[in-house]
Amino acid sequence: MAIRPILIAGDPRLSAPAVPVTVFDAELAAFVDDLFDTNAAANGAAVAANQVGDPRAVFAYDLTDHGVRHRGHVVNPMIETSEIPETMPDPDDDLEGCLSVPGEWFPTGRADWARVTGVDVHGEPVTVEGTGYLARCLQHETDHLAGRLYLQRLIGRNHRAARRMIRDHGWTEPGRSWLPDGPTRRTVH
């Protein structure tokens, strides 16, 4: 098990759609363990494979929502959601962050309910369904695997602020990452 560097916005691997997993072996199981370790070290809610430079369609999550812990992984996920709001998100209740956009948070419109179906590392069927924070997480991670950062979902002034932030951080060139090391974040590239 290992903690892997997390790619930062601007890396083209974050915008490439994931490749379906076809081999279910010990290496895949070890990789999912690495995702859990990386997520824990980064104090995240979830991490998708492409965030650590792997093109496979898999994500791991470990979060608490309303006092209930949700922990698991999904390989080759497919998502269904309730209607996604088209209005301006609430600046207090709809804040969203991302390990690939470290230290930044923006109000992001998400559906109130989501269900993800897929398989586990053994190829057995998995279904994860939730509302609130879990629903937001499921949408966020499946977006990653579709090659979308949450920044692409921003509208209005939030979209403009995110574009300025990307420019100000210099996150316009590929190859930047950071290595989660507990509360410390150090840039690798």
Side-chain angles (χ1 to χ4, degrees):
M1 292 183 277
I3 297 170
R4 296 181 179 228
I6 297 172
L7 301 178
I8 294 176
D11 193 294
R13 292 172 286 181
L14 292 170
S15 59
V19 176
V21 174
T22 58
V23 177
F24 297 86
D25 59 7
E27 189 280 327
L28 176 63
F31 175 67
V32 169
D33 286 341
D34 288 355
L35 290 178
F36 279 116
D37 289 347
T38 301
N39 186 57
N43 298 312
V47 65
N50 61 344
Q51 289 182 272
V52 298
D54 190 293
R56 291 178 284 187
V58 59
F59 69 86
Y61 61 94
D62 190 351
L63 61 99
T64 301
D65 185 21
H66 291 73
V68 177
R69 185 176 184 197
H70 302 275
R71 185 177 194 278
H73 68 278
V74 183
V75 178
N76 299 334
M78 299 295 291
I79 190 163
E80 304 173 62
T81 68
S82 57
E83 187 174 342
I84 297 173
E86 294 182 20
T87 58
M88 195 66 152
D90 185 290
D92 297 319
D93 294 335
D94 294 329
L95 278 180
E96 191 164 320
C98 179
L99 297 176
S100 290
V101 187
E104 303 292 339
W105 296 81
F106 291 97
T108 309
R110 294 288 188 180
D112 292 330
W113 169 87
R115 175 174 41 226
V116 169
T117 56
V119 295
D120 67 12
V121 294
H122 307 290
E124 297 297 322
V126 171
T127 299
V128 184
E129 182 175 346
T131 59
Y133 188 38
L134 179 57
R136 179 175 293 278
C137 174
L138 296 173
Q139 292 167 81
H140 184 105
E141 297 311 314
T142 55
D143 269 359
H144 270 301
L145 297 177
R148 282 190 302 267
L149 288 176
Y150 85 105
L151 301 176
Q152 293 170 271
R153 293 212 177 259
L154 301 179
I155 59 174
R157 66 181 172 273
N158 298 318
H159 176 74
R160 291 187 296 278
R163 287 174 51 114
R164 279 192 304 277
M165 177 273 303
I166 291 286
R167 183 191 66 231
D168 292 348
H169 282 305
W171 292 347
T172 55
E173 57 191 58
R176 296 183 54 125
S177 64
W178 66 279
L179 185 62
D181 206 3
T184 305
R185 296 179 177 190
R186 56 190 168 102
T187 300
V188 177
H189 299 286

